[in-house]
Amino acid sequence: MTFRSVQGGGDRPEVADRITAEDLVAVQTLSVIVPAPVALDILEGRLGTRLSGLPHAIPRDIDMADADAVVVADGSPADQAWRLLCEQHGVNWVIAGKVLARKRPRLLPVYDRIVRCAIGRPPSFWLALHAALREDDAALHHQLLERECPIGGGSDDQGDA
């Protein structure tokens, strides 16, 4: 079982717009754990309510290379969801990113310390990747598709900021 395949994936239409228990288990396959109090708050509490409208506003069936930059820009629903998750005790940028990658694997790929090592620390990872995927007639995007590189993968990384 892999991150993207647990219970058929987090972007299935019937669960795409809410974070489920299966999503929280799936991120564990990437060696991160959403702290229990946060997980319970997502599933049964106020945090889940606060998050509920955001995934619905994030496109589901689109690759990052095909999306407009505004979809991943500061202040976008994706950015708001990431920031809201990062505000929770014990949830850092890596964990938040992996949760969102589970919900939108084609649009919001995993960004962890290993990826950061490879590409550096751009002010906005999503915007920097978006630009890189679109330049030169989407050459990088096509190269990754040809290699069948798994978008939404990840590393064994709890991810310190």
Side-chain angles (χ1 to χ4, degrees), residues 15-93:
V15 297
D17 295 334
R18 69 182 193 285
I19 298 170
T20 67
E22 290 84 9
D23 298 322
L24 300 176
V25 169
V27 299
Q28 289 185 42
T29 68
L30 301 180
S31 300
V32 299
I33 296 173
V34 175
V38 176
L40 291 171
D41 200 11
I42 288 171
L43 297 174
E44 300 176 350
R46 192 170 147 244
L47 180 56
T49 301
R50 292 175 64 199
L51 283 167
S52 66
L54 295 171
H56 181 71
I58 304 168
R60 183 170 42 104
D61 295 325
I62 191 167
D63 291 333
M64 181 180 271
D66 298 325
D68 291 329
V70 69
V71 172
V72 293
D74 290 349
S76 68
D79 180 64
Q80 291 175 45
W82 183 81
R83 290 179 189 279
L84 184 56
L85 287 167
C86 285
E87 290 172 2
Q88 307 312 305
H89 181 72
V91 177
N92 58 32
W93 59 276

Side-chain angles (χ1 to χ4, degrees), residues 65-66 130-143 145-146:
D66 298 325
H130 179 267
L133 289 170
R134 292 178 66 121
E135 68 187 23
D136 298 327
D137 267 342
L140 175 60
H141 179 69
H142 295 299
Q143 181 181 15
L145 290 174
E146 287 171 13

Side-chain angles (χ1 to χ4, degrees), residues 108-122:
L108 305 173
V110 167
Y111 179 53
D112 58 18
R113 283 191 287 181
I114 291 176
V115 175
R116 181 190 272 182
C117 252
I119 67 164
R121 293 180 182 218

